[in-house]
Amino acid sequence: MSDRLEFGWYLPTSGDTVCYGDRGSDIPPSAEMFDRVVMAAEAAGFEYFLVPVAAPCWEAFTASAMAVAKTKSIKALVAARPGYITPLQFAKMIATFDQLSGGRIAVNLIAGQSEAENRAEGVNLAKEDRYAMMEEDVSIMKALWSSPSPVTFHGRFHRLEGARIAPQTLQQPSPRFYLGGGSMEAWEVSAKHADVHLFWGDTPATIASNIATLRDMAERHGRRDALGFGMRLQICCRDTEAEAWDAAHELVRGVTAEQTRKVQENIAGSAANQRVQQLAREHGDLIAPHLWSGLTRARQGAGIMVVGNPQQCASTLQEFIEAGCTSFCLSGYLHDEEATRFARLVRPLLAERNRGRMLAA
């Protein structure tokens, strides 16, 4: 596990906005918008961009390949769910991308936030079964990338006899795996396979406690020092605190109770989402002075947002660094503009506080 800090950004392939309650402010997905966000993220010094796979999002591998082809160094962190692609085909896709891009791919493992969405898309496994399938998927992929001989695998979900693929991955022993999830099933897969476990917003004390638990779980697989930890957070930074709060509150202006109800209904089976909603109920809009839960009224997933002026935002992120996090996957609105603001306002402060731990932008 490296002590180096890494920062990634988010590519909103379902579209962008500055106000979830005003459809007139929506920016629809397009090649031009994707290029603008990814190029801004690369210029801002972000090391990867996360590409989602929820139902409203454009297809992740195609979007990632198009973006990487137009950039120089930034990696694609492509989200993937079990049950959609066979592990052999997925291993071949990742390895091909890895070779053609010069090692610019990583994989974000998710089991799906919405049970209704899973059923609609033909994945009818219970959550615990999806994680069990995910564990088999990753085990097979790692074997295909590393075994010098054909792979035979007899599992609950997959059966392979003498399987092999071409090409092998450029990154050895494999591209990095990230996993974000709040359930014990998710933690078990991270403990066994992930390079980085991404937490969603929570208090730094809770994150520190969760890190200790996951390290103990990883130790059972001989991976105590192999598993790293990170945060998936929103950020809204402006030159002044007042400007930051104005922009944050604008994001949820006009959001109705019915919109919030649909968000909560859609993610009822997700432990990570439920934890975010629990924090909002227990603490109200402010989990901490500059850690805001208001965005959870409008969107599922990583809805906890760091809000403030540059010093306040940097200090809030530093609390998670002190808790043991070394990886940060951030997003903000509009995504190209907030990436640029982060580079100008926050990144230099973090670099000063963490000398030698961050790559030069």
Side-chain angles (χ1 to χ4, degrees):
M1 181 177 59
S2 173
D3 192 47
R4 186 178 70 79
L5 302 179
E6 70 167 1
F7 289 84
W9 198 243
Y10 180 79
L11 178 62
T13 57
S14 62
D16 212 346
T17 190
V18 292
C19 181
Y20 277 96
D22 177 9
R23 298 303 303 269
S25 72
D26 289 355
I27 298 175
S30 68
E32 189 276 332
M33 190 267 275
F34 296 172
D35 290 349
R36 191 168 64 244
V37 172
V38 173
M39 289 177 181
E42 183 173 65
F46 288 101
E47 297 173 54
Y48 65 80
F49 60 96
L50 171 61
V51 187
V53 290
C57 300
W58 288 21
E59 198 281 312
F61 259 88
T62 306
S64 298
M66 295 289 287
V68 163
K70 296 177 182 178
T71 53
K72 295 179 180 179
S73 61
I74 196 167
K75 285 188 175 186
L77 176 55
V78 187
R81 292 180 289 190
Y84 286 76
I85 303 172
T86 67
L88 187 142
Q89 181 64 20
F90 195 33
K92 195 175 185 76
M93 290 167 63
I94 294 167
T96 300
F97 195 122
D98 198 41
Q99 287 284 351
L100 293 177
S101 67
R104 293 166 59 193
I105 187 170
V107 182
N108 184 42
L109 299 165
I110 60 172
Q113 298 179 38
S114 167
E115 298 297 331
E117 183 175 297
N118 287 319
R119 290 193 300 271
E121 296 181 359
V123 179
N124 296 305
L125 297 171
K127 181 175 73 172
E128 58 270 21
D129 293 329
R130 295 197 302 274
Y131 276 112
M133 178 183 279
M134 178 189 291
E135 196 284 323
E136 287 193 11
D137 288 354
V138 180
S139 294
I140 289 169
M141 287 189 285
K142 287 185 173 181
L144 288 167
W145 293 330
S146 63
S147 175
S149 56
V151 172
T152 294
F153 182 93
H154 296 166
R156 178 182 167 196
F157 300 97
H158 303 297
R159 186 180 182 91
L160 283 73
E161 301 285 349
R164 63 176 75 211
I165 63 165
Q168 294 294 296
T169 55
L170 181 64
Q171 298 177 83
Q172 291 296 320
S174 75
R176 282 159 66 83
F177 283 98
Y178 294 66
L179 191 153
S183 67
M184 191 54 61
E185 293 91 348
W187 285 22
E188 287 288 354
V189 177
S190 272
K192 187 173 182 180
H193 287 298
D195 296 282
V196 176
H197 185 89
L198 284 172
F199 300 105
W200 290 355
D202 212 312
T203 65
T206 298
I207 296 299
S209 174
N210 290 345
I211 286 173
T213 300
L214 266 160
R215 281 195 175 128
D216 289 342
M217 293 171 67
E219 188 169 30
R220 296 201 293 269
H221 301 284
R223 304 185 69 247
R224 183 178 185 87
D225 295 327
L227 178 60
F229 303 96
M231 298 298 301
R232 171 73 182 97
L233 292 165
Q234 305 282 337
I235 188 165
C236 181
C237 186
R238 299 294 186 271
D239 290 295
T240 69
E241 181 180 4
E243 290 173 308
W245 282 115
D246 285 346
H249 290 138
E250 175 64 13
L251 283 165
V252 295
R253 177 180 59 82
V255 170
T256 66
E258 177 63 13
Q259 283 177 278
T260 301
R261 186 193 66 77
K262 287 181 178 179
V263 168
Q264 295 173 346
E265 182 181 82
N266 198 44
I267 48 83
S270 165
N273 274 286
Q274 287 303 304
R275 174 57 179 165
V276 168
Q277 296 293 333
Q278 178 187 357
L279 286 165
R281 290 192 301 271
E282 291 178 353
H283 297 271
D285 279 355
L286 286 178
I287 297 169
H290 299 285
L291 207 57
W292 184 62
S293 68
L295 196 57
T296 62
R297 301 198 294 269
R299 76 184 301 279
Q300 67 184 44
I304 304 298
M305 176 174 269
V306 179
V307 182
N309 64 35
Q311 290 286 351
Q312 292 163 341
C313 288
S315 294
T316 300
L317 292 173
Q318 189 68 38
E319 290 186 53
F320 292 110
I321 294 171
E322 300 302 327
C325 292
T326 57
S327 184
F328 291 85
C329 183
L330 306 175
S331 52
Y333 304 87
L334 296 170
H335 282 74
D336 55 326
E337 296 176 3
E338 194 67 37
T340 301
R341 276 191 291 268
F342 179 85
R344 177 173 64 88
L345 299 173
V346 183
R347 188 183 180 95
L349 299 177
L350 291 172
E352 177 65 25
R353 298 179 189 192
N354 300 277
R355 288 182 177 272
R357 297 184 66 188
M358 293 171 61
L359 291 183

